[in-house]
Amino acid sequence: MAVSGIGPYDPQNIFARILRGEVPCKKVYEDTYALAFHDIAPRAPVHVLVIPKGAYVSFADFSAKASEAEITGFIRAVGTVARDLGLEAPGYRLVSNTGAEGGQEVPHFHVHLFGGRALGSMLPG
């Protein structure tokens, strides 16, 4: 179910609970600024979610409120995960859904990292 990309942060969302260790995940990477883990319903052979450790609802929220260190650390984490998974040479896709019309399902900013096969058209015709 799609959610709003604005509004107050819900500390009970699934990603907040994963960050607190209340819900397990299949971790790929973690540092000061980000956590990356395998999606529980993968849409490609490689489907990893990268989330910032801060409480940000969406990309709009993150880009407006995160510190420069958080933004830099998060972007570098995404790049590190792509490299570590061997996706640079064949290619990969990054997707971040924001708001109901963008298809956002969890009210915590995150990036989907897809790879492992040719991904085809970016949006359905």
Side-chain angles (χ1 to χ4, degrees), residues 61-103:
D61 189 31
F62 181 73
S63 66
K65 297 178 184 171
S67 69
E68 289 184 28
E70 288 174 296
I71 292 169
T72 301
F74 179 77
I75 296 300
R76 288 191 173 156
V78 173
T80 296
V81 171
R83 278 189 299 283
D84 289 353
L85 293 173
L87 297 175
E88 283 190 322
Y92 58 93
R93 179 173 295 156
L94 298 175
V95 173
S96 181
N97 303 317
T98 299
E101 288 192 7

Side-chain angles (χ1 to χ4, degrees), residues 13-123:
N13 77 70
I14 188 67
F15 292 168
R17 295 177 62 213
I18 287 171
L19 285 169
R20 290 193 302 266
E22 297 170 5
V23 174
C25 69
K26 190 174 173 188
K27 188 186 317 183
V28 172
Y29 176 87
E30 183 173 18
D31 68 12
T32 303
Y33 300 104
L35 173 66
F37 52 93
H38 290 279
D39 193 288
I40 61 169
R43 304 285 303 263
V46 176
H47 184 174
V48 170
L49 301 173
V50 186
I51 66 173
K53 289 194 171 176
Y56 301 103
V57 176
S58 64
F59 176 79
D61 189 31
F62 181 73
S63 66
K65 297 178 184 171
S67 69
E68 289 184 28
E70 288 174 296
I71 292 169
T72 301
F74 179 77
I75 296 300
R76 288 191 173 156
V78 173
T80 296
V81 171
R83 278 189 299 283
D84 289 353
L85 293 173
L87 297 175
E88 283 190 322
Y92 58 93
R93 179 173 295 156
L94 298 175
V95 173
S96 181
N97 303 317
T98 299
E101 288 192 7
Q104 184 176 358
E105 294 181 354
V106 177
H108 184 110
F109 171 55
H110 58 286
V111 172
H112 296 259
L113 174 60
F114 297 105
R117 67 168 168 82
L119 297 169
S121 177
M122 195 162 103
L123 293 172

